[in-house]
């Protein structure tokens, strides 16, 4: 009885994001020095829901909205931007998906000076596949720091999640593999802290004014 309530963990690196702009090519990207964290994931991975969770508002559309994946969408926060990218599928890409990768995504990932990290979003129930393998193979020589976010963590038990995180770490060779649930609102503090501490903060202490 009368147990003291645990103070809620503070989302000290929470970003209040707002939609800034969309771009179809490199010329359309914002021309400033704000750090950018890009987000890729196949359709239905939970990417829009994740962006909304980080933003704490419904700024990205969820599920089944045609045309939403045609562009790079930029969402601005106080410390950095999130950049929502079209779905990927390197080994199986075809038609318009292939041309958007070649026309826009590849140049963005290969040349964008603002880019500080890439989140690869996957449904927690999916395995690391050839598509993710191909993506990493392409990213690694280009020096893009990457992390995996496993969404829909509410679909598995805690122990299954730990097991899956370890498996994905092993398969990807990436150290940063995090799990989130938008339903249960878990994992966001850890993800926001990771993004800020690992990718954004170093750019701020690097002498930029
Ligand atoms: P996107 O295509 O990658 O942008 O995926 P969406 O964000 O549109 O999500 C696809 C579906 O997964 C939607 O029906 C979401 O409601 C659902 N979803 C996303 N995140 C979660 C989550 O953390 N838990 C559960 N249970 N469902 C989720």
């Amino acid at each position: 009885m009368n147990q003291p309530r645990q103070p809620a963990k503070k989302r000290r690196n929470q970003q209040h994001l707002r939609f800034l702009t969309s771009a179809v090519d490199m010329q359309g990207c914002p021309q400033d020095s704000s750090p950018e964290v890009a987000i890729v994931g196949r359709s239905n991975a939970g990417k829009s829901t994740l962006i909304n969770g980080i933003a704490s508002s419904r700024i990205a559309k969820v599920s089944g909205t045609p045309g939403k994946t045609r562009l790079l969408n930029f969402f601005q926060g106080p410390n950095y931007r999130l950049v929502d990218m079209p779905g990927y599928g390197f080994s199986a890409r075809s038609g318009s998906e292939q041309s958007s990768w070649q026309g826009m995504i590849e140049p963005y990932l290969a040349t964008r000076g603002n880019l500080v990290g890439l989140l690869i979003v996957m449904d927690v129930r999916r395995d690391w596949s050839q598509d993710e393998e191909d993506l990493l193979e392409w990213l690694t020589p280009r020096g893009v720091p990457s992390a995996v976010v496993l969404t829909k963590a509410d679909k598995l038990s805690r122990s299954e999640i730990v097991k899956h995180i370890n498996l994905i770490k092993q398969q990807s060779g990436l150290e940063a593999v995090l799990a989130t649930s938008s339903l249960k609102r878990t994992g966001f503090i850890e993800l926001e802290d990771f993004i800020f501490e690992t990718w954004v903060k170093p750019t701020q202490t690097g002498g930029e004014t």
Side-chain angles (χ1 to χ4, degrees):
M1 243 169 78
N2 283 342
Q3 283 214 334
R5 283 181 73 181
Q6 291 277 350
K9 267 199 199 164
K10 225 173 151 200
R11 291 175 67 173
R12 61 202 164 110
N13 290 316
Q14 182 177 18
Q15 295 284 294
H16 290 284
L17 299 166
R18 64 184 171 82
F19 175 75
L20 179 66
T21 189
S22 294
V24 291
D25 55 26
M26 292 305 287
Q27 284 72 37
C29 295
Q31 303 294 317
D32 62 13
S33 60
S34 175
E36 290 174 353
V37 173
I39 305 194
V40 289
R42 61 175 74 233
S43 182
N44 237 30
K47 192 160 53 92
S48 306
T49 307
L50 183 74
I51 293 171
N52 290 338
I54 294 171
S56 285
S57 65
R58 288 177 57 85
I59 50 171
K61 291 167 186 154
V62 171
S63 161
T65 311
K68 69 172 177 169
T69 57
R70 285 287 144 76
L71 309 160
L72 294 182
N73 291 312
F74 295 82
F75 300 98
Q76 184 69 54
N79 295 317
Y80 61 89
R81 271 183 212 125
L82 284 183
V83 184
D84 186 12
M85 313 187 92
Y88 67 93
F90 263 63
S91 55
R93 68 204 155 119
S94 60
S96 64
E97 201 185 327
Q98 183 170 25
S99 58
S100 65
W101 267 94
Q102 287 174 342
M104 179 172 57
I105 313 297
E106 289 181 0
Y108 175 88
L109 291 173
T111 66
R112 181 77 170 161
N114 304 53
L115 183 64
V116 295
L118 177 75
L119 297 176
I120 301 169
V121 177
M122 292 175 69
D123 186 317
V124 73
R125 295 163 296 182
R126 280 202 52 246
D127 289 327
W128 188 255
S129 74
Q130 192 60 47
D131 280 342
E132 284 80 32
E133 199 53 44
D134 290 349
L135 177 63
L136 264 197
E137 208 167 280
W138 188 89
L139 290 168
T140 306
R142 291 166 176 85
V144 181
S146 307
V148 176
V149 181
L150 302 172
T151 59
K152 314 185 194 182
D154 50 277
K155 299 283 188 189
L156 298 182
S157 72
R158 228 181 150 69
S159 62
E160 286 172 323
I161 290 166
V162 171
K163 234 162 88 179
H164 198 63
I165 285 177
N166 286 333
L167 182 68
I168 299 275
K169 278 186 182 176
Q170 208 180 57
Q171 290 173 325
S172 68
L174 293 173
E175 280 172 31
V177 179
L178 300 102
T180 58
S181 165
S182 298
L183 205 69
K184 293 193 174 171
R185 307 273 329 139
T186 54
F188 285 90
I189 293 176
E190 292 77 5
L191 177 60
E192 288 157 3
D193 287 351
F194 168 81
I195 291 172
F196 187 71
E197 297 296 331
T198 316
W199 289 342
V200 176
K201 206 166 154 189
T203 69
Q204 294 179 335
T205 51
E208 281 218 357
T209 51

